[in-house]
Amino acid sequence: ELAAAPRIRGIMASPRHHNSGLQHSLEPHPRPTGDPMSAENPTRHGFVVNVRPEQRERYLELHREVWPGVLAKISEGGIRNYSIFILENTLFAYYEYVGDDFEASMALIAADPETREWWSNTDPCQIAFGTAPDGTLWREMESAFYVA
């Protein structure tokens, strides 16, 4: 069934890509203690994965017209300012989370049938970047610098 509260990767990765070893301490520049989460004070997330060279154009084509239901679920899950960049065959994803329960938001997105169908199209286009933990493709990065 569903893995427990997977984090979003790229414009979604399936529950089997969840890296249960990641802790919130890896979230780049977490909010100060006691600071409420809001659109003005989100947590920032960056991820990296490779795209299979033979699937690169398919991946880009899919993302030219992301399904409206997938976009709606991303928004409902508190994800804002979501971008995916590509350099050669490496994808970098960035988003900001503005909700109040990250794990519950990720579980909400992961449980959505349309999102799961989307992943069945995007997953075959991806391959892990470097040495990814078992069962993962996208790897969360630590922030090295930030200025507002």
Side-chain angles (χ1 to χ4, degrees), residues 111-146:
D112 177 56
E114 188 170 359
T115 298
R116 294 173 66 82
E117 184 178 346
W118 173 259
W119 292 337
S120 75
N121 285 276
T122 60
D123 285 357
C125 299
Q126 302 166 1
I127 189 166
F129 178 89
T131 306
D134 289 342
T136 65
L137 288 175
W138 288 86
R139 296 176 58 197
E140 188 162 13
M141 300 181 298
E142 289 185 65
S143 176
F145 176 76
Y146 171 75

Side-chain angles (χ1 to χ4, degrees), residues 31-32 35-44 80-81 96-99 146 148:
R31 289 177 307 281
D35 215 4
M37 192 170 327
S38 70
E40 294 81 35
N41 196 22
T43 55
R44 291 171 297 284
R80 303 291 184 273
N81 296 321
E96 297 170 351
Y97 176 71
V98 298
Y146 171 75

Side-chain angles (χ1 to χ4, degrees), residues 2 12-13 19 22 35-37 48 56 62 74 77-78 91 94 102 109 111 122 124 127 136 145:
L2 290 177
M12 310 310 217
N19 179 353
L22 283 176
D35 215 4
M37 192 170 327
V48 64
R56 186 180 196 276
L62 285 165
I74 290 170
L91 300 168
Y94 170 85
F102 185 77
I109 293 167
T122 60
I127 189 166
T136 65
F145 176 76

Side-chain angles (χ1 to χ4, degrees), residues 18-117:
H18 174 58
N19 179 353
S20 59
L22 283 176
Q23 301 298 316
H24 285 286
S25 63
L26 290 181
E27 290 178 358
H29 305 286
R31 289 177 307 281
T33 304
D35 215 4
M37 192 170 327
S38 70
E40 294 81 35
N41 196 22
T43 55
R44 291 171 297 284
H45 301 264
F47 299 90
V48 64
V49 74
N50 285 325
V51 64
R52 295 178 187 277
E54 69 277 10
Q55 293 291 324
R56 186 180 196 276
E57 288 309 312
R58 166 105 173 107
Y59 185 88
L60 294 173
E61 178 183 320
L62 285 165
H63 286 83
R64 283 185 200 104
E65 296 185 40
V66 177
W67 303 345
V70 171
L71 295 174
K73 194 56 66 174
I74 290 170
S75 181
E76 183 182 345
I79 304 299
R80 303 291 184 273
N81 296 321
Y82 201 138
S83 300
I84 298 176
F85 301 87
I86 189 164
L87 176 64
E88 297 170 358
N89 293 319
T90 301
L91 300 168
F92 165 75
Y94 170 85
Y95 66 78
E96 297 170 351
Y97 176 71
V98 298
D100 58 7
D101 186 340
F102 185 77
E103 297 301 322
S105 294
M106 298 304 100
L108 172 83
I109 293 167
D112 177 56
E114 188 170 359
T115 298
R116 294 173 66 82
E117 184 178 346

